[in-house]
Amino acid sequence: MNINVYKTIGYCVLCLFLILCDSRLPEGNSVITDFAGRRVSIPEEIKGIVALSASLRYVVYLQAFDKVVGVEELEKRNPMRTINADGRMYWAVIADRVDDIPCIGEGGPGKLPDFERLLEVKPDIVFTFEANNAEIIQGKTGIPCVVISGATGMDGFSIDDIKKTFLFMGNILGKQKRALQLCAYIDTCIADLQRRVHNTEKVSVYVGGVSARGAHGITSTESFYPPLQWLNVLNVVDELGKKGHLFIDMEKLIVWDFDYLFIDAAGLALIEIDYKKNSGFYKKLKAVIKNNVYTVYPYNFYRTNIEVMIANSYFIGKTLYRERFNDIDSEEKAREIVKQFVGMDVYDNLKKSYKGYGKVKFTNAGLTVH
């Protein structure tokens, strides 16, 4: 049996132990231990959910949106007219239903809900990524508030934490089978990527314009960039010894002299503006000289969009090791991955909004993407 299958089974057993064996209350309630180490009493059957601080995507992934009784204003259709909401595949799936659900507050990182509105919708449970807010919400309302893992922290991104969260929430929401399906699909994708790049010659890569609470220019990057973790490549930023998003000194781009440059499509316009002001600098970069510049889709939009992240890994793998990925069409694979996670092929929402999965040329007039 594949080792990844054993890992998935192990995660499921762990989560079942936490939920089923940690009961301390009378019939109808259980005590669970959440990802912040908090012991929380929850009903045996969850009929109503509120998912805060971007945890709604996990509810959609688990096909439990029908249980949602309140949402943040940030998840509504109308506020999204001022920003590009199409970068979030889970939102595209619920866009035609979310307006009919009561609003329980503004939403956004660190924001607390409106306690009065939250009490009005009477959820059985509240999910959040933010431990401090969970304590406040539960203390003010008496509603069980459970902390899940956002898979990022001081130690950087962790795909294992994502799988543990799926299994943990799946057990709470009665979506165990769906959680196992998601974990198995993630393991299949990672195993496939690793198999394809096994024993390849390592190339050096820099990813610029990385989204982080908004669009940024070329110096915005990510150490241990998740889509590169399953590919045999050298992310030049990793030598800094930090993990996660960071801004680097622009001169380091010359020093690193990397083979390939990948640009987060959300930052493409800012990079083009900078290029027009300082084209001489960009023309010194080896990746630009060799015409090895490509775009990937932004996957950080109100936290991590896992399906876009994995799709990016396939595109980068095919770009770097074309012969190993000769049976992969990047767009078709992205559509498959998106559908596996959110239940519908809404890839076109992403495609119409960003110039992802293209080859970038630096011309006298600016940047072109094909």
Side-chain angles (χ1 to χ4, degrees):
M1 188 179 293
N2 189 292
I3 190 172
N4 288 316
V5 176
Y6 284 116
K7 288 170 67 177
T8 297
I9 294 172
Y11 295 140
C12 188
V13 171
L14 173 63
C15 292
L16 281 169
F17 177 81
L18 288 174
I19 291 177
L20 299 179
C21 298
D22 200 20
S23 292
R24 297 291 187 273
L25 295 183
E27 185 178 353
N29 288 81
S30 297
V31 172
I32 62 167
T33 302
D34 70 11
F35 279 78
R38 301 166 57 254
R39 290 168 57 80
V40 184
S41 171
I42 65 170
E44 292 277 355
E45 183 180 3
I46 304 297
K47 297 180 180 179
I49 304 169
V50 166
L52 304 175
S53 64
S55 61
L56 184 62
R57 66 168 41 77
Y58 282 71
V59 174
V60 175
Y61 290 154
L62 288 167
Q63 298 176 349
F65 184 72
D66 59 313
K67 296 178 183 286
V68 173
V69 295
V71 296
E72 298 168 319
E73 186 178 3
L74 191 60
E75 304 286 13
K76 292 278 190 175
R77 179 187 299 271
N78 288 342
M80 291 304 168
R81 290 174 181 166
T82 60
I83 59 175
N84 191 342
D86 291 328
R88 298 189 288 177
M89 299 293 90
Y90 78 92
W91 186 86
V93 171
I94 63 174
D96 62 342
R97 293 174 285 165
V98 73
D99 280 346
D100 296 329
I101 298 176
C103 176
I104 48 78
E106 178 183 354
K111 299 288 182 66
L112 287 165
D114 181 308
F115 298 129
E116 185 175 340
R117 292 183 181 180
L118 184 60
L119 286 166
E120 286 175 356
V121 300
K122 300 178 180 178
D124 295 309
I125 195 169
V126 174
F127 291 108
T128 182
F129 292 117
E130 299 167 346
N132 290 339
N133 280 0
E135 282 292 299
I136 296 170
I137 293 165
Q138 190 164 310
K140 293 284 188 181
T141 66
I143 300 169
C145 192
V146 174
V147 179
I148 59 176
S149 174
T152 56
M154 294 298 292
D155 294 327
F157 171 84
S158 170
I159 195 69
D160 283 347
D161 281 352
I162 286 175
K163 292 189 291 183
K164 289 175 184 177
T165 297
F166 283 154
L167 293 165
F168 179 74
M169 292 180 66
N171 280 317
I172 291 174
L173 300 176
K175 295 290 184 177
Q176 295 93 335
K177 183 178 178 180
R178 174 59 179 164
L180 285 169
Q181 289 173 343
L182 287 166
C183 291
Y185 185 72
I186 289 172
D187 286 339
T188 298
C189 288
I190 292 174
D192 182 45
L193 288 163
Q194 292 175 332
R195 175 186 60 81
R196 290 173 183 274
V197 302
H198 183 64
N199 285 336
T200 52
E201 183 177 349
K202 189 172 289 190
V203 297
S204 57
V205 169
Y206 176 80
V207 185
V210 172
S211 304
R213 296 195 178 187
H216 301 289
I218 193 70
T219 61
S220 177
T221 188
E222 188 165 354
S223 185
F224 298 92
Y225 182 70
L228 300 181
Q229 288 185 9
W230 311 302
L231 302 173
N232 186 32
V233 301
L234 171 65
N235 182 359
V236 293
V237 183
D238 292 352
E239 74 169 36
L240 299 178
K242 301 177 181 179
K243 291 187 176 181
H245 179 262
L246 68 156
F247 292 97
I248 54 99
D249 185 341
M250 197 159 179
E251 293 301 321
K252 291 291 287 185
L253 300 178
I254 301 294
V255 174
W256 282 325
D257 201 29
F258 39 85
D259 299 308
Y260 285 82
L261 168 62
F262 290 92
I263 296 174
D264 185 316
L268 187 66
L270 294 175
I271 291 173
E272 180 172 29
I273 291 171
D274 189 50
Y275 168 69
K276 289 179 178 179
K277 295 178 181 177
N278 194 13
S279 61
F281 177 87
Y282 285 86
K283 290 178 180 179
K284 294 177 184 177
L285 300 177
K286 181 167 70 172
V288 175
I289 294 170
K290 292 190 173 184
N291 202 26
N292 286 335
V293 184
Y294 299 84
T295 57
V296 291
Y297 286 110
Y299 67 83
N300 289 318
F301 194 136
Y302 201 18
R303 301 189 192 267
T304 304
N305 294 291
I306 305 161
E307 67 286 350
V308 179
M309 179 188 68
I310 295 175
N312 279 355
S313 195
Y314 271 95
F315 173 76
I316 294 171
K318 184 175 178 70
T319 301
L320 301 180
Y321 307 113
R322 189 163 297 274
E323 290 185 3
R324 299 289 187 98
F325 288 78
N326 59 5
D327 61 323
I328 296 292
D329 179 284
S330 296
E331 181 172 316
E332 288 181 4
K333 190 63 180 179
R335 290 183 184 280
E336 173 202 305
I337 295 168
V338 167
K339 188 174 182 179
Q340 285 287 339
F341 274 88
V342 301
M344 293 174 58
D345 177 7
V346 287
Y347 173 78
D348 284 336
N349 290 59
L350 193 63
K351 186 178 178 180
K352 74 181 181 182
S353 302
Y354 300 102
K355 296 179 179 180
Y357 299 169
K359 190 177 183 69
V360 182
K361 290 189 176 181
F362 290 73
T363 70
N364 291 334
L367 305 183
T368 61
V369 181
H370 300 284

